[in-house]
Amino acid sequence: MAVSTSEKVKGGFTFRRGVHPPHRKSFSESRAIEQIQLPAGSEVVVPLSQHIGAPCSATVEAKQQVVVGQEVGSSDAFVSAPVHSPVNGTVKEIAPLPHPSGRKVLSVVITVGDEQPEPSIWRELPENCTIDSLENTTSEQIVDTIRQAGIVGQGGAAFPTAVKLVQNQQKPVDTILLNGCECEPYLTSDQRLMIEAAGPMLLGLQLAVKAAGAQKGIIAIEDNKPDAINTVFKLIKDIDNLQLAICRTKYPQGGERQLINAVLGRVVPTGGLPLDVGVVVINAGTASAIAWACIEKRPCYERIVTVTGAGIKNPGNFRVPVGMMLSDLLEHCGGLTDDAEKVLLGGPMMGPAAARLDLPILKGTSGITVLSKAEVVENKEVACIRCGRCVDHCPLNLVPTRIAHAVKARDLETAEDYDLAACIECGCCTYVCPSKIPLIQYLRSGKSMIARKKQQVKSK
Ligand code: SF4
Ligand code: SF4
């Protein structure tokens, strides 16, 4: 049945509140994705926990030879994802090592061997993961392949994708929303993926639709990415169950709740999940990884990362082995400029500052932003003037100033009463605050204090 253009593409989607920070994507948006090959003798650090859920146990031991794509850690837990070696090499040790979370995490350290295969060769997923085509497969086979490939959400949350897609009779899904908004300033890895690998990405979306038993997939892209919009539109024209939603550029349009509300008009309840309103959201990188796993039997051992900002000599987009050290990646990009000031794990709105550079790139690392002195505005916090701007811009309709005040006073009950748990840590409140109050930091520390308290109660 022919589908008209107006049914395939709709535009003007947006959400209430939010902010308009400068995009600053020109550092890297025109740079094609470059494959990184690690030199012999260098090391990768593959943490056994780089996802939400149970950590893996190592399935290799020190001095063992491993090859690209070989599983090096796994778990029987339902919410978990195995991890794989991104190189041919030798396991040097399995030890607790610094992790982007700030904690030490048990990790498999692999010394890169002399002989590396071509980028198109890896240890394939087991035979039962073979999927010839979208038509000749089942939902269970797709979900099982995604699980064995270790795919997690690549937008930063790192939730195991198989768990998201497994069918739930109580909560049926009708729509898979592919989040191609990449609303975080500076970052361009999804944009490049949509231009350079839209075919696999759309196949991954179709596989996700089938896995979840949904009726359709919608690709949501912000209107500041016309090249990605054109590429995707040409490819979906003849695919009946895919549609394109063009969203107005605004931060945080890519937040799951904002996107679902903007495109589908549905409201995810506080404390609930997209599943509660019949939706699963996957990111552009995640969709591509699904296609590579299902069609090429390729585990998730590398990802696209943007390295950008005025503080890096050669910004760009890179296909990076998961476990590559941040310091090595920065060096690959020519190193830091003389006026580099701050390295962020992510973009400037949500990315925390890296306290050290001996950290591994994870499956959820979408970008590294290196700000120069000129880009870092040193703000001295002064008293709240009760202007209400943080309230006016919070996409969750929270009252950030009151929550921060409660956290400062260690009054966690009041912070919870003001719905701290609903905060998505987007940073809009901090961005607009004229008193330069680091509201997001207070909110994050409030959440950690509450989590610690709950843990203590549980372990009593
Ligand atoms: S309170 Fe949370 S959700 Fe609201 S603007 Fe601040 S960081 Fe974003
Ligand atoms: S934006 Fe800043 S100064 Fe204004 S009410 Fe919020 S915390 Fe206070």
Side-chain angles (χ1 to χ4, degrees), residues 183-365:
C183 59
E184 178 81 51
Y186 287 85
L187 304 188
T188 56
S189 55
D190 288 349
Q191 184 176 352
R192 288 310 312 178
L193 201 57
M194 289 188 282
I195 296 166
E196 296 179 43
M201 180 189 80
L202 295 173
L203 178 56
L205 174 58
Q206 289 174 283
L207 286 157
V209 168
K210 183 155 189 174
Q215 281 87 59
K216 63 174 187 277
I218 302 179
I219 306 102
I221 309 178
E222 282 193 334
D223 57 11
N224 65 347
K225 301 174 188 67
D227 39 8
I229 290 171
N230 288 335
T231 310
V232 168
F233 176 62
K234 280 186 203 144
L235 291 174
I236 65 159
K237 267 196 307 195
D238 302 318
I239 306 176
D240 282 349
N241 67 344
L242 295 191
Q243 298 167 6
L244 177 59
I246 303 170
C247 302
R248 287 195 210 142
T249 300
K250 184 163 66 161
Y251 180 86
Q253 180 65 78
E256 283 191 348
R257 283 156 196 273
Q258 289 65 49
L259 196 59
I260 291 169
N261 186 241
V263 175
L264 297 165
R266 302 179 196 174
V267 178
V268 180
T270 303
L273 293 168
L275 201 60
D276 296 322
V277 292
V279 185
V280 169
V281 182
I282 58 172
N283 149 283
T286 312
S288 312
I290 291 173
W292 288 320
C294 291
I295 304 302
E296 299 182 344
K297 294 203 274 178
R298 182 175 182 160
C300 179
Y301 56 80
E302 56 184 16
R303 65 152 300 142
I304 315 299
V305 179
T306 302
V307 184
T308 182
I312 188 80
K313 286 187 182 154
N314 302 315
N317 302 288
F318 305 91
R319 188 180 292 274
V320 178
V322 170
M324 182 180 186
M325 300 310 286
L326 172 57
S327 49
D328 291 342
L329 179 58
L330 295 174
E331 203 176 300
H332 180 89
C333 298
L336 305 183
T337 59
D338 290 342
D339 62 347
E341 181 74 1
K342 204 183 238 185
V343 178
L344 302 174
L345 303 170
M349 296 299 286
M350 290 187 83
R356 51 200 299 165
L357 300 182
D358 58 345
L359 297 170
I361 299 298
L362 305 181
K363 292 178 190 177
T365 311

Side-chain angles (χ1 to χ4, degrees), residues 383-391 401 429 432-435 437 439:
C384 171
I385 56 169
R386 296 172 186 249
C387 65
R389 289 181 70 182
C390 55
V391 183
T401 178
C429 49
V432 296
C433 176
S435 295
I437 300 170
L439 293 156

Side-chain angles (χ1 to χ4, degrees), residues 46-286:
V46 183
L48 290 166
S49 177
Q50 42 183 313
H51 47 264
I52 291 176
C56 296
S57 302
T59 51
V60 290
E61 51 193 36
K63 298 193 182 144
Q64 187 176 330
Q65 302 287 313
V66 291
V67 297
V68 174
Q70 180 174 340
E71 187 184 274
V72 296
S74 71
S75 164
D76 290 335
F78 179 62
V79 182
S80 190
V83 292
H84 301 82
S85 172
V87 292
N88 283 6
T90 311
V91 177
K92 182 183 166 195
E93 60 175 342
I94 297 159
L97 289 169
H99 185 273
S101 65
R103 294 173 289 126
K104 282 197 171 176
V105 167
L106 201 60
S107 307
V108 180
V109 184
I110 303 165
T111 307
V112 180
D114 292 334
E115 287 186 20
Q116 296 301 313
E118 291 295 312
S120 57
I121 295 173
W122 53 84
R123 176 172 290 185
E124 294 184 347
L125 291 167
E127 207 46 47
N128 63 345
C129 295
T130 305
I131 292 173
D132 305 331
S133 65
L134 188 59
E135 293 72 31
N136 293 330
T137 186
T138 62
S139 165
E140 291 74 22
Q141 195 183 16
I142 299 168
V143 169
D144 190 45
T145 303
I146 292 170
R147 182 175 288 125
Q148 295 201 48
I151 297 171
V152 302
Q154 295 199 359
F159 191 80
T161 305
V163 180
K164 261 186 167 182
L165 292 175
V166 73
Q167 292 188 21
N168 178 337
Q169 299 306 327
Q170 274 74 49
K171 294 182 180 179
V173 168
D174 58 61
T175 307
I176 305 288
L177 207 43
L178 189 149
N179 186 353
C181 288
E182 202 166 47
C183 59
E184 178 81 51
Y186 287 85
L187 304 188
T188 56
S189 55
D190 288 349
Q191 184 176 352
R192 288 310 312 178
L193 201 57
M194 289 188 282
I195 296 166
E196 296 179 43
M201 180 189 80
L202 295 173
L203 178 56
L205 174 58
Q206 289 174 283
L207 286 157
V209 168
K210 183 155 189 174
Q215 281 87 59
K216 63 174 187 277
I218 302 179
I219 306 102
I221 309 178
E222 282 193 334
D223 57 11
N224 65 347
K225 301 174 188 67
D227 39 8
I229 290 171
N230 288 335
T231 310
V232 168
F233 176 62
K234 280 186 203 144
L235 291 174
I236 65 159
K237 267 196 307 195
D238 302 318
I239 306 176
D240 282 349
N241 67 344
L242 295 191
Q243 298 167 6
L244 177 59
I246 303 170
C247 302
R248 287 195 210 142
T249 300
K250 184 163 66 161
Y251 180 86
Q253 180 65 78
E256 283 191 348
R257 283 156 196 273
Q258 289 65 49
L259 196 59
I260 291 169
N261 186 241
V263 175
L264 297 165
R266 302 179 196 174
V267 178
V268 180
T270 303
L273 293 168
L275 201 60
D276 296 322
V277 292
V279 185
V280 169
V281 182
I282 58 172
N283 149 283
T286 312

Side-chain angles (χ1 to χ4, degrees), residues 19 21 251 342 348-350 377 379 381 387 389-391 393-395 400-401 404 423 425-444:
V19 295
Y251 180 86
K342 204 183 238 185
M349 296 299 286
M350 290 187 83
V377 188
N379 293 318
E381 178 182 342
C387 65
R389 289 181 70 182
C390 55
V391 183
H393 291 271
C394 173
T401 178
C423 168
E425 301 179 21
C426 65
C428 290
C429 49
T430 305
Y431 182 75
V432 296
C433 176
S435 295
K436 309 300 177 199
I437 300 170
L439 293 156
I440 189 172
Q441 286 175 28
Y442 289 120
L443 297 163
R444 276 186 185 142

